């Protein structure tokens, strides 16, 4: 596996997304669109009673405005193209650091949050680690609020799975898993009967680009759902 090539593709992909976010923000700003609609509405009302000369003046003003918008938009696209790689590089350095083929976050990134209830079954949700690379090995942790860990089983799996009641076998909420090409894994949560509702948060601590097999993953030893 060429780790350097993967990191370069990641940088280019993130820079392209950053460019679009930076470019489209002001262009499609809701306040600007509202101002444009207001101007168009005012022009329409003026044209209803305007003389031929006034109509020509209004049309000319719109043509000039359209040309100016085109030049400004083109210039803004170029500026964003220059800014995007710098923003991505700065963001990567502020969030964490690379070491070989692995990236570690300075502060764990929260990627999922949901409240669960005791319902005598396993709750499953698909989670997307949008910032990690496809097929990478992710180190994660699961936080519960309130922290009733002895009455809740929680873990990530490769497929939707069924957990035993926590009173029989309690599954921990920390480990590693190799996400799929869509950067997804399945969260499995089960509460013991009569347990208070809990808010579950999933955090990403790091990911590895190096190729790994399923034997490298910390499985949660559960039965796949039928």
């Amino acid at each position: 596996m060429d780790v350097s090539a993967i990191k370069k593709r990641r940088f280019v992909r993130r820079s392209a997304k950053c460019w679009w976010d930076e470019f489209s923000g002001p262009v499609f700003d809701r306040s600007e669109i509202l101002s444009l609609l207001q101007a168009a509405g005012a022009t329409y009302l003026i044209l209803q009673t305007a003389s031929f000369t006034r109509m020509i003046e209004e049309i000319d003003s719109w043509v000039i405005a359209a040309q100016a918008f085109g030049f400004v938009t083109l210039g803004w696209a170029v500026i964003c193209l220059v800014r995007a790689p710098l923003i991505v590089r700065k963001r990567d350095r502020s969030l964490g650091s690379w070491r070989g083929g692995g990236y570690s976050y300075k502060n764990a990134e929260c990627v999922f949050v949901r409240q669960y209830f005791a319902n005598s079954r396993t709750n499953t949700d698909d989670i997307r680690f949008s910032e990690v690379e496809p097929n990478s090995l992710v180190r994660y942790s699961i936080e519960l609020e309130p922290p009733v860990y002895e009455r809740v089983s929680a873990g990530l799996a490769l497929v939707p799975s069924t957990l035993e009641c926590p009173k029989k076998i309690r599954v921990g909420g920390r480990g590693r898993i190799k996400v799929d090409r869509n950067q997804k894994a399945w969260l499995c949560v089960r509460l013991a009967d009569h347990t208070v509702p809990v808010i579950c948060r999933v955090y990403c601590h790091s990911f590895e680009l190096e190729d790994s097999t399923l034997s490298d993953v910390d499985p949660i030893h559960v039965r796949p759902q039928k």
Side-chain angles (χ1 to χ4, degrees), residues 205-224:
H205 295 266
S206 64
F207 64 90
E208 294 282 343
L209 296 179
E210 298 290 350
D211 193 18
S212 60
T213 62
L214 294 183
S215 60
D216 295 320
V217 180
D218 298 332
I220 62 174
H221 301 295
V222 293
R223 299 193 306 271

Side-chain angles (χ1 to χ4, degrees), residues 8-226:
K8 289 178 181 178
R9 287 197 298 268
R10 170 184 171 84
F11 182 75
V12 171
R13 185 175 65 250
R14 288 165 62 85
S15 295
K17 181 179 183 302
C18 180
W19 172 83
W20 174 249
D21 292 340
E22 289 287 307
F23 171 75
S24 62
V27 175
F28 298 106
D29 182 79
R30 285 180 293 181
S31 61
E32 296 296 331
I33 295 176
L34 182 61
S35 298
L36 178 62
L37 293 176
Q38 184 178 7
T43 300
Y44 174 77
L45 294 176
I46 291 173
L47 293 178
Q48 297 302 304
T49 57
S51 64
F52 179 77
T53 302
R54 183 63 186 278
M55 292 176 60
I56 296 300
E57 291 176 351
E58 286 293 325
I59 294 174
D60 287 342
S61 67
W62 274 96
V63 170
I64 294 173
Q67 291 175 339
F69 178 79
F71 286 126
V72 171
T73 301
L74 180 60
W76 177 239
V78 174
I79 293 174
C80 292
L81 188 63
V82 175
R83 279 169 43 87
L86 302 178
I87 293 174
V88 170
R89 189 176 298 277
K90 181 179 179 180
R91 187 180 299 165
D92 261 0
R93 291 175 176 175
S94 65
L95 293 179
S97 59
W98 287 97
R99 185 178 178 86
Y103 184 85
S104 300
Y105 292 96
K106 294 178 181 177
N107 299 301
E109 293 286 300
C110 183
V111 297
F112 181 85
V113 58
R114 182 179 172 182
Q115 187 176 40
Y116 292 99
F117 300 85
N119 53 13
S120 300
R121 63 180 179 84
T122 301
N123 303 275
T124 57
D125 284 287
D126 60 326
I127 297 178
R128 185 167 185 261
F129 293 85
S130 58
E131 295 299 319
V132 311
E133 283 299 291
N135 302 308
S136 59
L137 187 64
V138 175
R139 185 172 294 279
Y140 70 91
S141 66
I142 300 174
E143 179 185 277
L144 302 174
E145 178 60 39
V148 288
Y149 291 97
E150 71 282 357
R151 297 180 61 80
V152 178
S153 285
L156 297 189
L158 301 176
V159 294
S161 306
T162 300
L163 297 173
E164 295 285 348
C165 177
K167 292 183 179 179
K168 297 180 180 180
I169 302 176
R170 190 180 72 82
V171 175
R174 183 180 295 272
R176 299 180 302 165
I177 190 168
K178 185 178 181 182
V179 297
D180 63 20
R181 64 180 182 178
N182 296 315
Q183 304 147 296
K184 288 186 178 181
W186 286 87
L187 171 66
C188 305
V189 179
R190 180 165 181 171
L191 282 65
D193 292 340
H194 310 299
T195 299
V196 297
V198 298
I199 298 174
C200 178
R201 294 182 175 88
V202 180
Y203 292 89
C204 176
H205 295 266
S206 64
F207 64 90
E208 294 282 343
L209 296 179
E210 298 290 350
D211 193 18
S212 60
T213 62
L214 294 183
S215 60
D216 295 320
V217 180
D218 298 332
I220 62 174
H221 301 295
V222 293
R223 299 193 306 271
Q225 289 182 347
K226 297 181 180 180

